């Protein structure tokens, strides 16, 4: 397994990689990469011009090699791709071109195994318990609602909607999804899921799956963040998965710097079409983002037809004092789930490259369509339901966890 630490500033890079057993140095561009070993056989790679560095954990368990030299060559190739290490700019976010590999195609949607009012007889009132907790938490902090919607998305896109994103590290598995690069330090809502699970276990032990809790919580967060405008039924009956791997997050979760071709391919791999991709992207109308996730968009490139407009770019730049700074994803209506996002796309007032990509010739028509009153809200309900059927586990290959953070 490879672990790395990195930081992003305008001119510097820092990676800390566990695998090496030998010092080495190399020059790349005008910056120096320094490989250093500490007592724990940790290799450090610096691409440094003297700027200060902050640390963010990166987990890249998929890089493996059979010997030290192969590891070294593989890691150097990876780091060149990751860093794009030039003297003046650095790719933020996940930090490398996508896709490094084709996204894993999910098993066909198995909505036939799900049904509405699934717990009516076995745990009556289960959905109300979930809704009440979600409402209480959103009243306390609306950002938690955005976190719950994102948690649902990140769960379904890796291993299917099976609560694999909730699993903690154990001695048997030290590299679960929540510690994957797209998730670590950015996913929220785990404690809310724990709270719901505790209440449900007290009412009807061993009945309600964690996967269904995540799906219902995402549905209810949508309802409350839209000021009760976007409500839909979500079928239940999902079982919890037993497999969770950080390495799978990289190949299955669309990165913030993806172009329209990559986005279309990654959603298609999950059985979602172009319209549904554009519709689900509308969830970026709520929540916050770390500045490191759109560092490729700053400073503004005046020659890029999809660049931020100058006023918005200046505003964001002032707020992004460091890579760890955060900004609202929708600066117009930051606390409301609505279709403002699509206006922002057309006005060049979105953060991610993947947001700006929706202005492409393939999707611009769909963006404009979602500005029609009630159109996006209707399509979002349908897309959320469909996403909730990705890779669903059954009794044959899943379980009902006693603790959402651990397999039974």
């Amino acid at each position: 397994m490879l672990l790395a630490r990195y930081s992003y500033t305008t001119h510097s890079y820092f990676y800390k990689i566990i695998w090496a057993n030998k010092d080495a140095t190399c020059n790349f561009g005008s910056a120096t990469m320094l490989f250093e070993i500490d007592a724990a056989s940790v290799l450090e790679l610096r691409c440094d011009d003297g700027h200060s560095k902050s640390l963010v954990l990166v987990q890249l368990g998929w890089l493996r090699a059979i010997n030290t030299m192969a590891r070294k060559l593989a890691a150097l190739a990876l780091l060149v791709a990751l860093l794009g290490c030039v003297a003046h700019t650095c790719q933020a976010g996940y930090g490398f071109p996508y896709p490094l590999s084709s996204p894993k195609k999910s098993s066909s949607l198995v909505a036939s195994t799900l049904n509405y009012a699934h717990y009516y007889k076995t745990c009556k009132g289960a959905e109300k318990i979930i809704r009440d907790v979600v409402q209480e938490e959103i009243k306390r902090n609306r950002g938690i609602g955005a976190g719950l919607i994102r948690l649902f998305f990140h769960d379904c896109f890796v291993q299917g909607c099976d609560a694999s994103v909730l699993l903690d590290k154990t001695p048997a598995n030290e590299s679960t999804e929540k510690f994957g690069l797209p998730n670590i330090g950015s996913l929220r809502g785990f404690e809310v899921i724990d709270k719901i699970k505790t209440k449900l276990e007290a009412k009807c032990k061993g009945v309600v799956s964690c996967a269904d809790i995540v799906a219902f919580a995402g549905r209810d967060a949508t309802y409350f963040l839209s000021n009760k405008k976007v409500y839909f039924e979500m079928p239940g009956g999902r079982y919890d998965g037993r497999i969770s791997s950080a390495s799978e997050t990289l190949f299955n979760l669309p990165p913030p710097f993806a172009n329209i071709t990559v986005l279309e391919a990654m959603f298609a791999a999950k059985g979602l079409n172009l319209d549904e991709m554009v519709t689900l992207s509308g969830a970026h109308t709520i929540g916050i983002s770390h500045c490191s996730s759109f560092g490729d968009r700053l400073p503004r490139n005046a020659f890029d037809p999809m660049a931020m407009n100058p006023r918005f770019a200046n505003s964001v730049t002032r707020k992004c004092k460091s890579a760890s700074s955060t900004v609202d994803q929708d600066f117009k209506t930051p606390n409301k789930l609505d279709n403002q996002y699509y206006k922002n796309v057309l006005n060049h007032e979105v953060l991610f490259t993947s947001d700006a990509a929706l202005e492409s010739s393939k999707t611009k028509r769909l963006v404009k369509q979602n500005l029609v009153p009630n159109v996006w809200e209707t399509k979002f309900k349908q897309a959320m339901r469909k996403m909730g059927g990705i890779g669903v586990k059954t009794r044959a290959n899943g379980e009902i966890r006693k603790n959402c953070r651990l397999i039974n």
Side-chain angles (χ1 to χ4, degrees), residues 98-279:
Y98 245 77
L100 291 176
S101 173
S102 297
K104 182 177 179 181
K105 189 164 184 176
S106 295
S107 56
S108 59
L109 298 178
V110 287
S112 60
T113 67
L114 304 178
N115 54 81
Y116 295 99
H118 180 77
Y119 296 106
Y120 182 76
K121 292 183 179 180
T122 57
C123 191
K124 191 172 183 179
E127 290 190 46
K128 184 179 186 305
I129 289 173
I130 296 170
R131 186 176 300 113
D132 288 347
V133 172
V134 171
Q135 182 178 28
E136 176 187 343
E137 295 297 328
I138 288 178
K139 281 182 179 178
R140 186 177 294 117
N141 177 5
R142 288 182 75 84
I144 287 295
L148 290 170
I149 295 172
R150 187 166 182 255
L151 194 64
F152 179 41
F153 177 88
H154 280 229
D155 182 38
C156 291
F157 263 57
V158 185
Q159 284 287 331
C161 306
D162 66 350
S164 53
V165 73
L166 304 179
L167 290 173
D168 281 340
K169 293 189 290 186
T170 66
N173 184 4
E174 296 184 353
S175 184
T176 58
E177 287 173 31
K178 67 167 62 173
F179 298 97
L181 174 56
N183 292 337
I184 190 164
S186 66
L187 282 186
R188 294 187 290 174
F190 297 110
E191 294 79 8
V192 179
I193 302 300
D194 292 338
K195 185 175 181 179
I196 293 169
K197 180 65 170 175
T198 298
K199 288 179 176 290
L200 289 172
E201 285 294 295
K203 178 178 175 62
C204 31
K205 191 176 181 65
V207 174
V208 183
S209 71
C210 301
D212 276 345
I213 294 173
V214 172
F216 291 141
R219 182 267 313 270
D220 295 335
T222 299
Y223 176 62
F224 292 116
L225 291 177
S226 65
N227 294 331
K228 303 183 179 181
K229 183 177 181 180
V230 183
Y231 178 78
F232 55 98
E233 293 293 334
M234 176 69 76
R238 300 165 188 80
Y239 278 73
D240 300 323
R242 301 187 182 97
I243 298 171
S244 183
S245 173
S247 62
E248 292 196 12
T249 62
L250 291 166
F251 303 126
N252 288 285
L253 292 169
F257 49 86
N259 61 29
I260 196 64
T261 302
V262 171
L263 289 171
E264 184 176 13
M266 296 189 82
F267 276 76
K270 307 303 170 186
L272 298 166
N273 62 34
L274 196 65
D275 189 14
E276 289 159 344
M277 181 274 288
V278 173
T279 297

